[in-house]
Amino acid sequence: MADMKIGFYGHVQQYHDLKEEIDRAIHEVLESGSYVLGPQLVKFEQELAQYMNAKETVGLNSGTDALLLTFLALGIGPGDEVITTSNTFFATAEAIWLAGATPILVDIDPRTRNIDPPRIEAAITPRTRALVPVHLYGLPADMAAVSRIARAHNLLVVEDCAQAIGARGDSFSIGELSDAVCLSFIIQKNLGCFGDGGAIATNNADLATAVRKLRNHGSLKRSHHSIGYNSRLDDLHAAVLRVKLKRVDEWTRLRQGLASEYDRLLADLPLTLPYTPPGYRHVYHLYVIESNDRDGLQDYLASRGITALTHYPIAIHQQEGFPWGREARVHALPFTEQSAARVLSLPMYPELTRQEVEFVADAIRTWVRRRTNARAEGTSQGSEVRI
Ligand SMILES: *Cc1c(COP(=O)(O)O)cnc(C)c1O
């Protein structure tokens, strides 16, 4: 196959595919003169609530603020411990810190790479207030187990669903077993606007009202009930998201089709492929494989014109910016650290073609063959060795 260039994102192509509709939506907002807390935001919140099967949603300026404002609205703050995973984007723990609470990081289940419920149980103290499962890469965490633990210890549950809109578990849907669901609409997420955006979805009307106040300087109409933030989702973004929300399920199906193509083409190679527990609906925000020589594979793919990225090569507790001074406790995290050293995200977006997936898989196969041959010469080990 002739060489191709395969990038990591398809959002410019996505814009071109929807150009007429998006341009019209943006133009209407521009002509309306209503750009902040306007009618597009109200309509988007209604449509998103329907999609999420939630009583209410509140549009915010980012997924990070969705987490922060939810914690604040739930009264989580100084003295409280919040249990989450270290195998996530920095913002999950950052929002806990910003609320004044202490993130307690526990290890992952190495197969799903999501928070491991028995480790939550072991990390609970009298100060524990909340659990924050992250649905990493588009695969829901085991919410049935998380919510059993939460009920037994009277804890709040906030789902970090920044990567998993449209996903579901075997016996549960997103939002069914928690106090709130936090979403991100930054462009690279499965539902993305042209910039930053986020939202919460909840069945708790009081919580929704509290977050509505916090996003607008503590105000609902004119007066200010409390100190707040400036964290609203702009009408321009809401108008674009309304166009795109209608396509999310179709895009998810395309992602799933590409994922099964990768699964099929890579199945016989000595690499670790994504695992989906039976009955779960994985929405493949990312298609993440693992190799002991992740850097070598990433470099080889780059030399073939293929962009593969890492999510996340440095776990939260390994970050320079981790505020150790804030008495954050870290439990042993061997699986998280192993994952950080091994993960590689292959190109995965709805606009990717099957030919491109074949090209990526062929390149990986060539790299594996070369590595195996090089090894066999040196050590006489065969292709059974995991690389
Ligand atoms: C993207 C992301 C966030 C933060 O969302 P922003 O909109 O970028 O602020 C939080 N958690 C996870 C798991 C994410 O992937």
Side-chain angles (χ1 to χ4, degrees):
M1 206 184 297
D3 255 21
M4 305 190 183
K5 239 190 151 43
I6 303 180
F8 199 76
Y9 298 116
H11 38 245
V12 175
Q13 180 64 44
Q14 186 172 89
Y15 168 57
H16 293 159
D17 292 345
L18 298 175
K19 187 171 175 7
E20 232 174 88
E21 222 179 316
I22 286 177
D23 286 357
R24 199 183 324 120
I26 289 176
H27 188 74
E28 275 172 25
V29 175
L30 294 181
E31 289 293 344
S32 76
S34 192
Y35 310 135
V36 178
L37 296 179
Q40 290 298 323
L41 176 58
V42 173
K43 288 203 184 105
F44 173 62
E45 286 176 344
Q46 287 162 354
E47 289 161 7
L48 182 65
Q50 195 163 28
Y51 181 82
M52 297 293 296
N53 202 13
K55 252 196 205 132
E56 289 201 49
T57 71
V58 183
L60 300 164
N61 75 356
S62 69
T64 307
D65 271 15
L67 290 161
L68 172 60
L69 301 197
T70 299
F71 298 149
L72 295 172
L74 289 169
I76 294 169
D80 293 333
E81 294 180 348
V82 178
I83 298 175
T84 188
T85 144
S86 191
N87 188 34
T88 178
F89 181 57
F90 197 63
T92 312
E94 190 180 35
I96 298 169
W97 278 309
L98 288 171
T102 301
I104 304 297
L105 305 174
V106 300
D107 211 3
I108 51 170
D109 173 329
R111 282 222 293 177
T112 64
R113 297 176 283 202
N114 279 324
I115 197 162
D116 191 19
R119 316 262 172 177
I120 297 178
E121 203 85 73
I124 289 174
T125 74
R127 282 147 69 109
T128 308
R129 277 293 306 286
L131 308 179
V132 182
V134 181
H135 307 319
L136 201 71
Y137 308 147
L139 176 69
D142 182 352
M143 288 301 297
V146 168
S147 88
R148 256 198 312 277
I149 296 168
R151 279 198 308 272
H153 297 269
N154 196 23
L155 304 173
L156 298 161
V157 181
V158 177
E159 294 175 73
D160 183 339
C161 190
Q163 302 189 359
I165 189 165
R168 51 172 300 125
D170 52 352
S171 59
F172 61 87
S173 53
I174 300 293
E176 190 186 337
L177 300 174
S178 68
D179 296 279
V181 177
C182 297
L183 298 163
S184 165
F185 305 128
I186 192 169
I187 180 71
Q188 65 264 32
K189 298 291 161 72
N190 286 23
L191 173 61
C193 59
F194 297 115
D196 280 302
I200 69 149
T202 180
N203 292 321
N204 178 340
D206 293 338
L207 176 62
T209 303
V211 171
R212 264 179 225 290
K213 273 188 222 157
L214 283 170
R215 77 170 170 186
N216 190 38
H217 308 284
S219 171
L220 283 178
K221 284 222 172 89
R222 251 178 234 115
S223 69
H224 299 269
H225 312 280
S226 68
I227 296 287
Y229 294 77
N230 179 347
S231 181
R232 301 163 301 226
L233 179 70
D234 294 318
D235 268 47
L236 272 174
H237 290 315
V240 170
L241 289 166
R242 290 186 66 204
V243 173
K244 291 196 181 188
L245 181 60
K246 290 182 276 183
R247 268 87 180 187
V248 167
D249 285 339
E250 179 191 326
W251 289 333
T252 295
R253 280 192 292 277
L254 290 169
R255 286 175 184 273
Q256 289 167 331
L258 297 167
S260 29
E261 202 61 10
Y262 272 132
D263 285 346
R264 187 173 69 79
L265 295 168
L266 302 175
D268 62 323
L269 298 182
L271 299 163
T272 307
L273 302 184
Y275 166 73
T276 306
Y280 276 61
R281 183 179 198 241
H282 193 323
V283 296
Y284 292 100
H285 171 57
L286 296 167
Y287 186 91
V288 179
I289 64 171
E290 290 185 33
S291 164
N292 289 338
D293 184 17
R294 182 264 314 281
D295 294 348
L297 176 53
Q298 186 177 22
D299 289 348
Y300 177 72
L301 293 179
S303 78
R304 300 287 306 273
I306 299 162
T307 307
L309 300 180
T310 49
H311 301 83
Y312 295 91
I314 306 173
I316 306 271
H317 67 287
Q318 301 171 319
Q319 296 283 354
E320 189 194 339
F322 185 88
W324 288 101
R326 277 271 295 281
E327 58 158 316
R329 256 187 309 115
V330 177
H331 292 253
L333 303 169
F335 291 126
T336 301
E337 291 178 8
Q338 184 186 313
S339 175
R342 288 167 47 87
V343 284
L344 187 65
S345 311
L346 303 182
M348 168 54 72
Y349 44 91
E351 297 74 21
L352 193 69
T353 66
R354 293 202 171 226
Q355 286 77 2
E356 287 169 325
V357 167
E358 272 170 37
F359 182 77
V360 175
D362 277 347
I364 294 173
R365 181 171 298 278
T366 303
W367 178 80
V368 167
R369 197 184 320 116
R370 286 189 193 171
R371 290 253 328 172
T372 321
N373 290 344
R375 278 216 178 174
E377 278 164 25
T379 67
S380 81
Q381 284 176 321
S383 61
E384 291 310 303
V385 179
R386 297 202 72 80
I387 57 174

